[in-house]
Amino acid sequence: MSLESKIPAGPLEQKWQKHKDNLKPVSPANKRKFKILIVGTGLAGGSAAATLGELGFDVEVFTYHDSARRAHSVAAQGGINAAKNYQNDGDSVWRLFIDTIKGGDYRSREANTYRLAELSSNIIDQATAQGVPFAREYGGYLDNRSFGGALVSRTFYARGQTGQQLLLGVYSALSRQVGAGSVKIHTHKDMLDLVVIDGTARGIVVRDLVNGKIETFIGDAVILATGGYANVFFLSTNALHSNATAIWRAHKKGAYFANPCFTQIHPTCIPASGDHQSKLTLMSESLRNDGRMWVPKNPDEKRPPEQIPNEDRDYFLERMYPSYGNLSPRDIASRAVKRMCDEGKGVGKSRQAVYLDFTDALGRLGKTVIADRYGNLFDMYDRIVDENPYNGPMMIYPAPHYTMGGLWVDYNLMSNIPGLFVLGEANFSDHGANRLGASALMQGLADGYFVIPYTINSYLVKGKPAAIPLDHPEIKKAENDVQNRINKLLSINGNETPTGLHRKLGKIMWDNVGMGRNEQGLKNAINQIQAIRDEFWHNLKVVGNDSYMNPVIEKALRVADFMELGELIARDALERDESCGAHFREEHQTPEGEALRDDEHFAHVAAWEYNQDKEPIRHKEELNFEFVEFATRSYK
Amino acid sequence: MKVKLHVWRQKDKSTPGHLVDYDVDGIEPDMSFLEMLDILNESLILKGEDPVAFEYDCREGICGCCSLTVNGIPHGHQKGTTICQLFMRKFSDGEDITIEPFRAKSFPVIRDLIVDRSAFDRIIQAGGFITVGTGMAQDANSILIPKKIADLAMDAAQCIGCGACVAACPNSSAMLFLSAKSSQLNLLPQGKPEKLKRARAMIAQMEKEGFGSCSNHYECEAVCPKEISVQFIAKFNRDYLAASIKEGA
């Protein structure tokens, strides 16, 4: 199967408009005849459901949560980018586009990234109209702040809860449609398989988490907006239920998985305090507007941070990257932190942390201003660490946070399986090898509000697919597969819990497929993952049965899929024999330790095809840069 | 550290529940309350017993999944904090801790400590929104909102929809939840056209769901993990009163 990106021809600035003009809408009278199944109610899935419902499609949306408002988009803190140029600082669609392409280290599609930048302004307008209380200046105008990888101030925010407020905007639009009867919402439903009939996506198999019942829903198109897979590392900033099962099951039904090794490690998270740790908490990138990162120059430094004078401190980001300084992109900043700790300059009990210091900003702006900007984050830090960040610096360390990789999609956001669309973090399309801060919210909402309502027509225009009976053999087979998988999990009766095995997998991933990767480590990781997967299927302990709300089964099903995905991530990292963005192969670095790309051999998307019990097949989609020239990424 | 837990166990909606005692040992003060429950659950699974079902997700105080009443207080004793952000250093070694679900007629127990809060969704579906379709919006800066108003709207908008307010109220009233959402929207110019209609629709659904009325106990404000003020209830009552007078508006 060839990978056709379906990027429209013509000048970059005109591609999207021309494409929209060429897409024939479904007539208003026929829209309600098309049933669209959407999995996920975060920014991407929720906004798609609300918008498609408004347009008149027959929409059913599924979430494993008890309410659409719990999706993990809720946890995004710092902000959302938009090229409004309200600050008169030289921002434009082009600049946001270039920043995103460069931030992604030239491993994303020009046309997709440009479209994202183009739509960014509409999102702010839409959210404001819904009543999202973005921060304002005294005159009543919208306020902005800066995020990493940009020299302009284009990030809109609602205190440290921007994701929550945008999600509640989406949730209110979705709720309006549910109230109006145009969208039906199914809560506590976990998608466990995709139904593919005659090569097209026709339905999903879900399990009711309250009563264990397995059920199939049939539709004319399926949209997955199920988020990222950073929880493959066990410890990440993701919510604990965030998982890869929906996209992994679609992958096993034929959808290509693109660039799985592009996993983002966020530089500023609260370090783990012990082996009991169940998750890591992010401290928003927005803190780097006013916080300065440093370590003591002397590895044997014993003084508490407040007593270390400036001349004995190494503000390493400001030293290494004078022009971007503390607002260097995430991949760059994370590696710098790791380097400091590897050189023995780490601080804290574990020596795996650096300082993030607000003393200067507190002196310059005062406590009130700082509290207004970051109050909830400072309080959260205090609650978790039991140290007040108004009195001394925070201690932070990188942690897995976001996954740029995901299911392969074309310009219409359709996967290689006709009728299967993938939105938001679940797809791979816009961020290349590294995502800039405040761009995930932007992408989720652009995909759901402004892209899919148009591009779904590219598929639906072919006409309504044939009706499918619920006893179709493919449906029975998918349901049986799900039931057999659960029965198998229940029958092992070993000695390790799903969480225990997940923790072991996470350690392998973090140690070998984390911030620094090399050939030997990746080969070892693949062997170790195979061994732990074997252990999973022979030594897993699951209790009870599947006829009631059983969180152990729910967890085991997700860990089983992480065990397979982890290997694909390592394999992709091994095959991508270059460093780019967040993918850092230690063999490929400059003398200063910067990532060394190989544009001649790797300026492509690696799209993996599932191949049953054999090794997966790596396909390539070449990235053609028509409008941007390759450049070495420099933030110095 | 070790603690003695008394945990509410209930098989499902229709089976009566009861408290079960568990001793949990090997607790670090830096563990969160939910990580302490993780230890209990891992040990129960290894013994072949069903773990205690409780709801959680983000574990950083924003998703609103948490629904535990600890020693009689929804979300436990630390002010302005969800239970997932309460750390074991705030308990003493050997302490007796009772864990129950959020209790309210409108929040039936699904299993153990998990309750059904879908009533909240239905209240929002009834009118907790601004009627605006995708693509209709004008430039965001064409709506000027004084910082003070935007900040106040944000104070209300912080609600995480956990339902602690209902669980703490002797009347099981949902007025803090309703007033937070409606105040956010009613304060902003974008939300004003539907102000009265919204108040009426949300109250009507609230009554249908069986929530009680507010009689000014202020227990809701005391337990709200986002410290949302009861002043929003007063504001909402004014809107509702106006809506009752101006029928049809």
Side-chain angles (χ1 to χ4, degrees):
Chain A
M1 194 184 295
S2 72
L3 289 175
E4 258 190 84
S5 62
K6 302 214 178 88
I7 293 169
L12 193 56
E13 316 74 65
Q14 291 172 22
K15 282 182 194 289
W16 176 233
Q17 186 58 48
K18 283 203 161 162
H19 188 60
K20 280 197 291 185
D21 293 344
N22 290 333
L23 287 168
K24 195 176 145 222
V26 176
S27 92
N30 285 336
K31 282 198 177 97
R32 66 189 151 77
K33 294 180 187 158
F34 286 94
K35 172 155 289 188
I36 319 280
L37 306 177
I38 302 179
V39 188
T41 61
L43 291 189
S47 59
T51 307
L52 293 171
E54 270 165 37
L55 287 170
F57 290 106
D58 180 6
V59 178
E60 296 200 35
V61 60
F62 301 80
T63 171
Y64 53 72
H65 284 111
D66 68 325
S67 163
R69 66 180 295 155
R70 313 264 188 240
H72 185 54
S73 307
V74 81
Q77 297 169 352
I80 175 165
N81 288 327
K84 283 279 195 186
N85 193 31
Y86 282 162
Q87 304 299 325
N88 194 32
D89 55 1
D91 201 10
S92 64
V93 169
W94 179 261
R95 191 175 295 277
L96 175 53
F97 159 68
I98 286 288
D99 285 349
T100 309
I101 286 273
K102 179 184 166 192
D105 218 356
Y106 304 87
R107 291 293 175 266
S108 54
R109 276 192 203 133
E110 276 181 335
N112 286 60
T113 307
Y114 191 86
R115 176 174 65 188
L116 177 63
E118 203 178 337
L119 293 172
S120 63
S121 286
N122 303 18
I123 296 168
I124 303 302
D125 300 340
Q126 187 64 36
T128 301
Q130 290 166 346
V132 170
F134 285 121
R136 301 262 167 177
E137 306 271 13
Y138 282 99
Y141 293 92
L142 287 152
D143 191 19
N144 289 115
R145 57 187 175 203
S146 301
F147 257 63
L151 294 174
V152 294
S153 201
R154 63 160 74 100
T155 305
F156 294 79
Y157 66 101
R159 292 195 192 139
Q161 293 122 289
T162 317
Q164 181 204 21
Q165 293 310 312
L166 290 169
L167 183 70
L168 292 179
V170 165
Y171 168 71
S172 70
L174 176 60
S175 296
R176 181 164 81 92
Q177 295 309 312
V178 174
S182 59
V183 174
K184 186 157 195 263
I185 183 160
H186 302 270
T187 57
H188 284 129
K189 294 275 193 287
D190 209 8
M191 170 174 162
L192 295 180
D193 213 347
L194 178 74
V195 177
V196 179
I197 295 175
D198 298 332
T200 62
R202 291 307 309 274
I204 57 173
V205 180
V206 300
R207 180 170 173 271
D208 187 301
L209 295 176
V210 177
N211 60 26
K213 199 176 149 212
I214 291 164
E215 216 180 334
T216 299
F217 290 82
I218 297 171
D220 299 309
V222 177
I223 298 175
L224 300 185
T226 53
Y229 50 88
N231 270 344
V232 71
F233 290 96
F234 184 72
L235 285 182
S236 83
T237 64
N238 284 189
L240 269 73
H241 293 306
S242 296
N243 69 85
T245 288
I247 56 172
W248 189 252
R249 290 288 139 192
H251 172 61
K252 292 184 86 165
K253 282 288 171 80
Y256 290 1
F257 206 120
N259 298 334
C261 80
F262 290 168
T263 55
Q264 178 168 77
I265 315 293
H266 195 295
T268 55
C269 304
I270 300 178
S273 68
D275 295 336
H276 56 267
Q277 195 89 24
S278 60
K279 78 155 295 178
L280 295 168
T281 303
L282 176 74
M283 286 285 106
S284 166
E285 182 161 316
S286 61
L287 292 170
R288 290 195 271 145
N289 273 273
D290 291 306
R292 302 175 68 194
M293 283 159 83
W294 64 276
V295 289
K297 281 183 181 160
N298 179 4
D300 301 320
E301 183 63 68
K302 295 278 181 289
R303 289 172 287 184
E306 308 80 52
Q307 289 173 23
I308 303 175
N310 252 334
E311 60 269 22
D312 293 338
R313 299 176 175 192
D314 179 9
Y315 291 96
F316 54 95
L317 285 178
E318 296 168 34
R319 170 175 56 82
M320 292 192 275
Y321 310 102
S323 71
Y324 283 71
N326 290 296
L327 284 173
S328 298
R330 292 175 177 175
D331 53 337
I332 305 269
S334 290
R335 276 198 289 280
V337 171
K338 180 173 185 286
R339 209 175 309 151
M340 292 302 112
C341 295
D342 290 350
E343 287 173 13
K345 294 178 190 159
V347 299
K349 257 189 283 178
S350 65
R351 307 297 300 268
Q352 293 290 304
V354 301
Y355 293 124
L356 179 62
D357 199 327
F358 299 88
T359 315
D360 291 354
L362 281 162
R364 194 174 66 245
L365 303 165
K367 194 177 163 182
T368 320
V369 175
I370 294 296
D372 194 39
R373 286 183 191 168
Y374 316 113
N376 71 318
L377 298 167
F378 276 44
D379 293 346
M380 201 194 302
Y381 185 87
D382 191 5
R383 277 196 292 269
I384 295 173
V385 184
D386 204 21
E387 277 172 21
N388 184 341
Y390 291 104
N391 300 337
M394 290 182 177
M395 280 196 279
I396 50 108
Y397 195 71
H401 177 58
Y402 183 90
T403 50
M404 285 73 69
L407 292 186
W408 183 89
V409 288
D410 63 17
Y411 190 69
N412 292 322
L413 304 183
M414 191 166 85
S415 72
N416 58 305
I417 300 177
L420 178 70
F421 293 80
V422 191
L423 315 186
E425 191 178 350
N427 75 27
F428 88 104
S429 71
D430 296 357
H431 305 294
N434 173 58
R435 178 176 66 74
L436 290 184
S439 287
L441 302 181
M442 177 170 71
Q443 188 216 338
L445 292 177
D447 286 0
Y449 282 138
F450 299 113
V451 178
I452 192 70
Y454 293 91
T455 59
I456 199 162
N457 292 319
S458 67
Y459 178 69
L460 299 183
V461 74
K462 296 181 173 74
K464 188 167 162 68
I468 305 278
L470 265 175
D471 60 354
H472 190 284
E474 277 302 321
I475 293 175
K476 287 292 135 206
K477 184 178 174 305
E479 286 180 353
N480 285 338
D481 286 351
V482 167
Q483 189 59 57
N484 290 340
R485 201 152 81 233
I486 293 169
N487 294 347
K488 178 86 202 293
L489 293 170
L490 284 165
S491 69
I492 302 168
N493 203 17
N495 296 308
E496 281 265 26
T497 65
T499 303
L501 290 159
H502 188 188
R503 196 183 287 275
K504 285 186 185 175
L505 171 70
K507 183 156 174 25
I508 299 168
M509 296 300 294
W510 180 243
D511 289 347
N512 302 287
V513 201
M515 273 189 284
R517 302 162 171 179
N518 61 58
E519 185 182 345
Q520 197 49 52
L522 291 167
K523 285 181 173 162
N524 292 344
I526 291 170
N527 289 331
Q528 290 174 37
I529 295 165
Q530 287 168 350
I532 188 88
R533 191 163 64 227
D534 194 57
E535 189 184 349
F536 179 91
W537 287 106
H538 290 97
N539 196 27
L540 178 75
K541 176 96 178 169
V542 175
V543 294
N545 62 53
D546 62 344
S547 68
Y548 58 92
M549 183 176 248
N550 187 340
V552 194
I553 293 178
E554 187 183 325
K555 175 79 184 172
L557 284 164
R558 291 170 186 166
V559 176
D561 291 337
F562 280 137
M563 293 278 174
E564 296 180 8
L565 171 59
E567 183 178 338
L568 187 70
I569 296 172
R571 204 172 280 281
D572 186 45
L574 183 63
E575 293 294 320
R576 188 168 282 278
D577 195 12
E578 64 159 352
S579 293
C580 58
H583 169 63
F584 191 70
R585 283 286 298 266
E586 284 153 359
E587 302 95 321
H588 304 288
Q589 53 180 309
T590 66
E592 298 89 47
E594 302 295 339
L596 205 56
R597 280 196 332 256
D598 177 355
D599 294 328
E600 195 189 330
H601 299 102
F602 289 99
H604 63 248
V605 176
W608 293 86
E609 180 185 353
Y610 181 70
N611 193 21
Q612 306 304 328
D613 297 327
K614 294 190 273 294
E615 285 197 2
I617 303 162
R618 187 177 190 270
H619 300 270
K620 286 188 210 174
E621 179 204 329
E622 293 299 334
L623 290 167
N624 300 316
F625 289 89
E626 286 179 73
F627 306 93
V628 182
E629 275 181 39
F630 286 120
T632 303
R633 211 168 148 227
S634 168
Y635 294 94
K636 285 191 192 298
Chain B
M1 283 174 74
K2 56 178 154 192
V3 291
K4 193 170 188 64
L5 301 181
H6 314 283
V7 184
W8 186 261
R9 303 297 310 255
Q10 183 171 339
K11 195 164 168 281
D12 53 38
K13 225 174 240 185
S14 48
T15 314
H18 57 283
L19 287 169
V20 177
D21 294 350
Y22 299 101
D23 289 306
V24 185
D25 205 346
I27 301 165
E28 301 288 335
D30 283 339
M31 278 179 188
S32 71
F33 192 82
L34 300 190
E35 283 166 350
M36 180 275 292
L37 284 180
D38 289 344
I39 296 189
L40 169 67
N41 276 346
E42 290 291 285
S43 71
L44 290 176
I45 296 169
L46 289 175
K47 279 194 275 185
E49 294 174 31
D50 272 311
V52 177
F54 66 97
E55 208 152 359
Y56 59 86
D57 201 17
C58 78
R59 295 203 177 186
E60 46 189 71
I62 195 77
C63 71
C65 283
C66 295
S67 57
L68 308 187
T69 299
V70 175
N71 291 337
I73 306 172
H75 289 304
H77 64 276
Q78 190 175 353
K79 201 168 159 38
T81 304
T82 52
I83 192 67
C84 64
Q85 293 280 287
L86 179 58
F87 282 75
M88 292 311 291
R89 64 178 87 92
K90 304 284 179 187
F91 293 87
S92 44
D93 198 7
E95 192 168 335
D96 268 50
I97 303 174
T98 303
I99 311 174
E100 296 167 272
F102 281 179
R103 294 207 186 275
K105 183 184 155 208
S106 309
F107 291 167
V109 173
I110 296 174
R111 183 177 173 84
D112 294 342
L113 304 169
I114 298 181
V115 296
D116 179 353
R117 287 169 285 188
S118 53
F120 271 14
D121 286 328
R122 289 188 292 274
I123 289 171
I124 299 296
Q125 286 156 15
F129 48 77
I130 289 173
T131 301
V132 53
T134 303
M136 286 178 178
Q138 75 277 51
D139 184 86
N141 256 351
S142 63
I143 312 169
L144 296 186
I145 303 170
K147 183 171 170 19
K148 232 177 148 171
I149 298 292
D151 285 350
L152 195 59
M154 183 63 208
D155 288 343
Q158 292 191 83
C159 170
I160 58 174
C162 64
C165 46
V166 175
C169 178
N171 307 339
S172 294
S173 167
M175 279 299 276
L176 192 65
F177 170 76
L178 269 84
S179 68
K181 187 67 220 173
S182 66
S183 296
Q184 175 206 339
L185 302 178
N186 292 357
L187 276 162
L188 299 170
Q190 309 91 298
K192 291 224 193 292
E194 291 170 285
K195 189 164 113 177
L196 305 183
K197 183 169 173 274
R198 180 179 302 119
R200 263 201 301 272
M202 290 175 79
I203 291 274
Q205 188 65 35
M206 178 193 86
E207 286 173 348
K208 217 157 116 186
E209 299 289 350
F211 292 102
S213 300
C214 170
S215 49
N216 301 320
H217 288 268
Y218 298 174
E219 295 287 343
C220 51
E221 183 185 83
V223 299
C224 175
K226 298 295 150 183
E227 302 184 87
I228 291 172
S229 163
V230 290
Q231 287 180 17
F232 291 118
I233 298 181
K235 210 181 269 302
F236 185 49
N237 278 333
R238 278 201 300 279
D239 292 343
Y240 184 65
L241 182 68
S244 328
I245 295 165
K246 293 192 208 168
E247 278 298 339

